[in-house]
Amino acid sequence: PHDAAAFIKSQVRTIPDWPLPGVQFRDITPLLQRPKTLRVLIDLFIERYVEAKLDYVAGLDARGFIIAPIVAYELNLGFIPIRKIGKLPYKTVSESYALEYGTATVEIHEDACEPGNRVVIVDDLIATGGTMMAGKKLLERLGAVVVEGAAIVDLPDLGGSKLLRENGLPIYTVTDFP
Ligand code: PRP
Ligand code: HPA
């Protein structure tokens, strides 16, 4: 898994000054593009969760939606979408969180899972942790047990993974960019 993680890290593309000056954007699309990187990446998540007795894999809109359903399929589980506000058609529960400027809101269908279900939340990247924290709160409001938050990339200097762990959510990331 160490070799695999190093390989994955080597294939993340860094775009300087996007979308704003001073930001080093960590682009995961090269991991999706080639069959080898996609398989090594997904296999890391499968190894991690194959024995976890999960009921669902949840994904965060939008880039979590690329990875989470592949993981769910391979584990023979269902997938739960946690969406940006205004996209889910049935009855929803919502959580707002702070962005650098303003707020964002995410939603889940109120019948997305049952109390006591064990769920992992998957996204591409953890920055401030706000999105993952909102996802945890939504699932917990439905009575789910959020077993872990998982992402390909952690940006530890932004403090999100630390904050999430301090709030009782174990975090797994394949690699990080300090
Ligand atoms: C990005 C990323 C994570 C989130 C991480 O998504 O894909 O979901 O931000 O940031 P945080 O840890 O500070 O919450 P974004 O909101 O840009 O939406 P997108 O997936 O639709 O591009
Ligand atoms: N890459 C991708 N998504 C992000 C980043 C990044 O560097 N920062 C916040 N969201």
Side-chain angles (χ1 to χ4, degrees), residues 24-26 63 125 127 155:
Q24 303 258 80
F25 191 88
R26 308 300 179 176
R63 283 176 258 151
L125 175 143
L155 302 181

Side-chain angles (χ1 to χ4, degrees), residues 9-110:
K9 180 167 186 163
S10 76
Q11 301 302 306
V12 174
R13 176 164 59 188
T14 299
I15 315 285
D17 298 315
W18 196 91
L20 297 168
V23 175
Q24 303 258 80
F25 191 88
R26 308 300 179 176
D27 174 22
I28 61 137
T29 63
L31 304 177
L32 310 172
Q33 190 171 5
R34 284 171 30 238
K36 173 70 179 171
T37 46
L38 183 59
R39 181 164 300 278
V40 169
L41 175 67
I42 297 302
D43 285 352
L44 283 167
F45 288 100
I46 300 308
E47 279 173 42
R48 178 120 185 134
Y49 297 115
V50 68
E51 312 265 20
K53 300 195 187 313
L54 299 176
D55 295 295
Y56 288 102
V57 179
L60 298 172
D61 189 354
R63 283 176 258 151
F65 288 5
I66 300 168
I67 301 298
I70 309 177
V71 176
Y73 178 89
E74 191 61 28
L75 293 173
N76 268 305
L77 299 171
F79 163 71
I80 299 174
I82 295 173
R83 293 221 61 180
K84 301 217 161 121
I85 189 170
K87 302 291 186 181
L88 289 172
Y90 185 56
K91 293 175 201 163
T92 59
V93 176
S94 57
E95 277 286 342
S96 296
Y97 58 99
L99 298 177
E100 192 175 6
Y101 299 101
T103 65
T105 302
V106 288
E107 296 185 321
I108 193 169
H109 273 147
E110 67 172 24

Side-chain angles (χ1 to χ4, degrees), residues 61-175:
D61 189 354
R63 283 176 258 151
F65 288 5
I66 300 168
I67 301 298
I70 309 177
V71 176
Y73 178 89
E74 191 61 28
L75 293 173
N76 268 305
L77 299 171
F79 163 71
I80 299 174
I82 295 173
R83 293 221 61 180
K84 301 217 161 121
I85 189 170
K87 302 291 186 181
L88 289 172
Y90 185 56
K91 293 175 201 163
T92 59
V93 176
S94 57
E95 277 286 342
S96 296
Y97 58 99
L99 298 177
E100 192 175 6
Y101 299 101
T103 65
T105 302
V106 288
E107 296 185 321
I108 193 169
H109 273 147
E110 67 172 24
D111 63 352
C113 65
E114 296 294 320
N117 283 168
R118 291 168 56 81
V119 183
V120 161
I121 307 174
V122 175
D123 204 352
D124 67 326
L125 175 143
I126 298 173
T128 68
T131 310
M132 184 72 76
M133 183 75 79
K136 170 189 180 331
K137 288 180 180 168
L138 286 178
L139 284 160
E140 287 177 348
R141 282 170 63 187
L142 300 188
V145 176
V146 184
V147 172
E148 192 156 79
I152 306 166
V153 173
D154 184 26
L155 302 181
D157 294 352
L158 295 180
S161 53
K162 180 168 182 279
L163 181 77
L164 290 157
R165 289 182 181 117
E166 285 168 357
N167 280 273
L169 183 65
I171 296 295
Y172 167 70
T173 58
V174 173
T175 189

